[in-house]
Amino acid sequence: MSFDPAITLFSCHYTSQQSCAEEGKELEQLGFPSSINLVRVPCTGKLQVTTLLKAFEDGADGVYVVGCPEDGCHNVKGSSRAAKRVAAVRAALEELGVEGERVQMYHLPRGLHPEFVAKAKEMDARIRDLGPSPFSN
Amino acid sequence: MIVAERKPLAEIVEMVQDCKKVLVLACRGCVTVCSAGGEREAEILSSLLRLGMKKAGKSIEVSTASLVRQCDREYIDEIDQWDGQYDAIVSTACGVGVNFISNLRKDTMVYPALNTSFFGGSAEQGEWTEQCAGCGDCVLHLTGGLCPVARCAKSLMNGPCGGSVDGRCEIDRDVECIWQSIHDRLGSFDRAAQMEVIAPIRDWSTAGHGGPRKIVRDDLTV
């Protein structure tokens, strides 16, 4: 059964710069899925476990974080901290009997690059495959 | 500090199955320091309870609050501000806190969110290790400040046992043989001869083997 997922992306300021290009039109032109709600944060290291969980509470079928490469974070360890929190949320989802793949962490280079859109498409496909969130009853 | 860790979520969700409104009550004492039951962990648990109940097709209202400690009457009294507002309190304090609420508030249902583990410390961020067993008869002055009761797998008073190899314990190579460490530490203070002194058979009545323990300080009672 196909459905239109709601996916929340938390991306650091540096890895999502292209979202600002041409008033956000460039991402759209590159095929960035419309299912994804992009939330830019100064650093993914500031994201708390509760922030990610709240996205699920607010109705997201999937949540993912895009931060700097682990060995090249603008704030040194920000994206590594984010990865740990994503892992904690994944473990909690699995404890609740929910697919851990609904939450993901990606480390991507900064600036305009095709991987940002490729990972968005990957996440969109994954969540479409998993179906609606079990929390959306 | 008292070190604890969150219970499995399924266990906590099961506790509140029949509740419509619960208060997740954090403790700003030891469990905040060991990142198990402070305000941040209580917020996380609240969110997870809402999600867990939602997945089960049930609705629940979950609020979060915290007390300075849950092991003193003066702070437990603050619970009265929520009288009648919740079906239950889910306490993220250690077992002492849950007991104290149960002792002092007969009409309040309280559930434990944590498994209380041990008295320990954190030498590395994110890691806690047991250091003290609260046995009530401290021998640290004889053992170089290292506790054989808590840190020897057999709680030997005259160690090491025959299973110590290369300073590691026979139960697990990742566990140090505390008696080897006691020997080495006493030696560094030129007190290795202390190892030759035979410790007498220990009286464990102070360790809780004589029932729940109690301390009364006449200089402090009113």
Side-chain angles (χ1 to χ4, degrees):
Chain A
M1 185 181 76
S2 83
F3 83 111
D4 292 324
I7 300 168
T8 302
L9 158 61
F10 295 98
S11 178
C12 92
H13 174 79
Y14 300 96
T15 49
S16 61
Q17 283 169 351
Q18 64 268 50
S19 68
C20 299
E22 297 175 24
E23 298 178 336
K25 291 279 193 296
E26 187 169 9
L27 271 183
E28 195 180 314
Q29 288 159 7
L30 291 168
F32 192 81
S34 60
S35 59
I36 296 173
N37 176 34
L38 168 59
V39 180
R40 296 183 82 198
V41 292
C43 175
T44 55
K46 181 61 181 165
L47 288 170
Q48 297 297 321
V49 169
T50 46
T51 315
L52 304 176
L53 291 174
K54 183 155 191 318
F56 282 108
E57 285 198 68
D58 289 343
D61 299 297
V63 176
Y64 75 109
V65 177
V66 175
C68 300
E70 281 187 283
D71 59 354
C73 178
H74 180 82
N75 293 312
V76 187
K77 288 184 180 251
S79 62
S80 303
R81 290 198 169 105
K84 296 244 179 194
R85 287 164 194 160
V86 166
V89 171
R90 176 176 284 217
L93 291 184
E94 288 170 352
E95 265 196 85
L96 290 172
V98 172
E99 308 91 342
E101 303 96 305
R102 288 185 183 275
V103 63
Q104 296 283 334
M105 176 77 206
Y106 295 108
H107 296 278
L108 297 179
R110 291 178 233 159
L112 186 62
H113 55 83
E115 293 96 324
F116 189 78
V117 175
K119 294 302 178 190
K121 288 179 177 173
E122 182 181 301
M123 193 67 192
D124 178 72
R126 178 180 292 123
I127 299 302
R128 283 180 191 279
D129 191 42
L130 287 172
S133 161
F135 304 128
S136 58
N137 290 329
Chain B
M1 79 190 97
I2 292 176
V3 179
E5 60 183 349
R6 176 173 55 72
K7 279 181 170 290
L9 282 173
E11 205 176 315
I12 308 172
V13 170
E14 178 64 27
M15 292 174 200
V16 301
Q17 274 301 299
D18 299 325
C19 296
K20 296 289 178 205
K21 289 180 77 173
V22 299
L23 177 67
V24 176
L25 190 58
C27 176
R28 301 206 290 272
C30 307
V31 291
T32 291
V33 183
C34 71
S35 299
E39 291 175 334
R40 179 178 295 183
E41 293 75 30
E43 291 285 355
I44 292 170
L45 179 60
S46 295
S47 186
L48 290 169
L49 281 181
R50 284 190 291 269
L51 289 170
M53 291 292 275
K54 211 169 181 182
K55 179 171 177 281
K58 297 182 176 183
S59 67
I60 190 168
E61 198 176 307
V62 185
S63 306
T64 309
S66 69
L67 298 183
V68 174
R69 290 195 296 275
Q70 294 185 23
C71 52
D72 272 310
R73 177 185 289 271
E74 66 191 282
Y75 299 117
I76 296 295
D77 286 347
E78 292 180 32
I79 287 177
D80 292 347
Q81 68 185 291
W82 301 298
D83 245 2
Q85 294 178 39
Y86 298 98
D87 299 321
I89 287 175
V90 176
S91 170
T92 63
C94 67
V96 178
V98 178
N99 273 271
F100 251 59
I101 295 172
S102 299
N103 290 341
L104 298 172
R105 292 296 178 274
K106 303 298 181 197
D107 297 327
T108 301
M109 177 57 77
V110 57
Y111 295 120
L114 304 186
N115 286 325
T116 305
S117 306
F118 51 77
F119 302 150
S122 175
E124 301 284 342
Q125 188 170 328
E127 281 186 26
W128 294 266
T129 52
E130 185 168 15
Q131 304 291 320
C132 172
C135 70
D137 188 9
C138 196
V139 295
L140 290 171
H141 57 300
L142 304 172
T143 58
L146 304 173
C147 181
V149 179
R151 301 174 67 185
C152 167
K154 300 172 183 172
S155 294
L156 290 181
M157 289 296 102
N158 294 288
C161 71
S164 175
V165 178
D166 300 330
R168 314 309 295 176
C169 178
E170 68 178 340
I171 64 158
D172 189 334
R173 294 280 300 172
D174 289 337
V175 176
E176 72 175 308
C177 169
I178 201 64
W179 273 107
Q180 177 73 53
S181 300
I182 290 168
H183 173 268
D184 294 347
R185 188 164 158 81
L186 286 173
S188 73
F189 288 102
D190 203 20
R191 292 186 182 179
Q194 176 67 41
M195 293 284 288
E196 305 290 332
V197 179
I198 304 296
I201 293 171
R202 193 178 163 95
D203 175 2
W204 290 99
S205 62
T206 59
H209 295 219
R213 292 166 283 179
K214 182 177 183 178
I215 293 173
V216 178
R217 287 269 305 270
D218 286 335
D219 57 324
L220 297 175
T221 55
V222 289

